[in-house]
């Protein structure tokens, strides 16, 4: 699914999918923010494939406990689900609860059996590590999933430059990655990172329901990414 750049429209309401079709390639379905998440999924008959995310509270989401894995395991059985997001800390066993690792590994195996891609994700809501640490994080995430996702917080332009450099280096090393900086100093990375190899972009269907700091409206990000790629540097 992620051989080329994929722009996902983030939402907790699958009835918004028709409004995303003009600009998005897929929908990131935020199950942790949704009302009756599995019920919505069962009723889904939209055109866009789904990346299902049930973000843990310890990584900035609203899902509590290990039950989120059961919901994701059920979700990947739906024919529209093409990918699932799993936190790298769980896959790597660096979370304090060892049960996280066993559940995450089982979910990854189930996803692969179902033909769904795995996005191994890392979020830092406070800072952006040094470039070498970013490259290592991306390599770790890419080795655990089909795509390694890294979202950090930029507090200065140098943080955005570090992320773009790390994206370029990780891609050149053969890793499939998705990168962005949250916050105003790094907002432009959401549009520029695909030029350096980032494979996934995120934007809300409804700008009022942004799921991370600094997200562009969906139509805006589509135009920015496509405009930058048309000059020949990104395709």
């Amino acid at each position: 699914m992620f051989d080329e750049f994929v722009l996902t429209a983030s939402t907790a309401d699958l009835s918004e999918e028709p409004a995303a079709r003009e600009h998005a390639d897929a929908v990131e379905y935020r199950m942790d923010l949704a009302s009756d998440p599995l019920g919505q999924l069962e009723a889904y008959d939209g055109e866009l494939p789904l990346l299902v995310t049930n973000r843990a509270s310890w990584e900035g989401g609203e899902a509590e406990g290990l039950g989120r894995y059961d919901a994701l395991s059920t979700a990947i059985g739906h024919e529209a689900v093409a990918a699932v997001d799993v936190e790298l800390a769980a896959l790597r066993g660096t979370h304090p609860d060892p049960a996280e690792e066993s559940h995450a590994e089982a979910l990854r195996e189930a996803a692969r059996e179902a033909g769904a891609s795995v996005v191994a994700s890392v979020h830092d809501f406070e800072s952006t590590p040094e470039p070498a640490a970013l490259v290592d994080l991306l390599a770790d995430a890419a080795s655990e999933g089909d795509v390694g996702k890294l979202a950090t917080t930029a507090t200065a332009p140098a943080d955005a430059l570090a992320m773009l450099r790390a994206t370029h280096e990780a891609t050149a090393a053969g890793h499939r990655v998705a990168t962005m900086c949250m916050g105003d100093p790094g907002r432009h990375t959401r549009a520029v990172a695909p030029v350096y190899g980032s494979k996934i972009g995120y934007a809300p269907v409804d700008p009022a329901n942004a799921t991370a700091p600094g997200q562009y409206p969906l139509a805006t990000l589509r135009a920015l990414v496509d405009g930058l790629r048309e000059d020949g540097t990104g395709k």
Side-chain angles (χ1 to χ4, degrees), residues 165-177 196-197:
R165 175 183 171 186
T167 304
H168 174 71
E169 291 189 14
T171 300
H175 303 304
R176 193 179 298 174
V177 299
Y196 294 91

Side-chain angles (χ1 to χ4, degrees), residues 1-2 8 26-30 49-53 80-85 117 119 200 202:
M1 178 180 179
F2 300 109
T8 65
V27 168
E28 186 202 23
Y29 180 35
R30 284 296 300 267
L50 304 179
L51 161 59
V52 290
T53 299
V81 174
V84 59
D85 184 296
S117 298
V119 178
I200 312 175
Y202 298 82

Side-chain angles (χ1 to χ4, degrees), residues 59 122-129 134 137 150-154 182:
E59 187 118 352
V122 182
H123 299 79
D124 187 331
F125 292 96
E126 296 182 358
S127 64
T128 295
L134 293 175
L137 273 172
L150 177 56
T152 66
T153 299
M182 299 177 282

Side-chain angles (χ1 to χ4, degrees), residues 196-217:
Y196 294 91
S198 178
K199 296 299 187 185
I200 312 175
Y202 298 82
V205 178
D206 182 348
N209 296 326
T211 56
Q215 286 185 332
Y216 289 104

Side-chain angles (χ1 to χ4, degrees), residues 2-225:
F2 300 109
D3 291 333
E4 300 292 338
F5 176 77
V6 174
L7 177 55
T8 65
S10 297
T11 185
D13 182 354
L14 289 179
S15 70
E16 292 185 332
E17 184 267 351
R21 292 175 191 169
E22 180 180 359
H23 303 295
D25 304 307
V27 168
E28 186 202 23
Y29 180 35
R30 284 296 300 267
M31 297 177 67
D32 57 305
L33 306 176
S35 173
D36 188 19
L38 291 177
Q40 283 195 52
L41 187 59
E42 186 175 350
Y44 181 70
D45 61 355
E47 297 177 3
L48 295 175
L50 304 179
L51 161 59
V52 290
T53 299
N54 204 8
R55 181 75 60 225
S57 58
W58 48 264
E59 187 118 352
E62 294 190 9
E64 299 285 352
L66 298 173
R68 73 181 188 281
Y69 291 108
D70 294 331
L72 287 169
S73 294
T74 299
I76 60 177
H78 193 288
E79 62 181 2
V81 174
V84 59
D85 184 296
V86 187
E87 293 83 4
L88 177 64
L91 288 167
R92 282 255 150 176
T94 56
H95 188 274
D97 183 355
E100 288 279 351
E101 182 177 12
S102 60
H103 280 71
E105 289 180 344
L107 176 62
R108 177 174 57 190
E109 183 63 25
R112 288 177 170 164
E113 289 179 1
S117 298
V118 175
V119 178
S121 61
V122 182
H123 299 79
D124 187 331
F125 292 96
E126 296 182 358
S127 64
T128 295
E130 293 297 315
L134 293 175
V135 172
D136 288 345
L137 273 172
L138 286 171
D140 287 347
S143 71
E144 295 289 350
D146 300 293
V147 180
K149 176 190 174 186
L150 177 56
T152 66
T153 299
T155 59
D159 293 332
L161 285 172
M163 181 62 81
L164 294 175
R165 175 183 171 186
T167 304
H168 174 71
E169 291 189 14
T171 300
H175 303 304
R176 193 179 298 174
V177 299
T179 60
M180 64 226 65
C181 285
M182 299 177 282
D184 287 342
R187 191 182 195 204
H188 64 284
T189 62
R190 295 179 179 274
V192 177
V195 174
Y196 294 91
S198 178
K199 296 299 187 185
I200 312 175
Y202 298 82
V205 178
D206 182 348
N209 296 326
T211 56
Q215 286 185 332
Y216 289 104
L218 180 61
T220 301
L221 187 56
R222 176 89 274 170
L224 288 170
V225 170

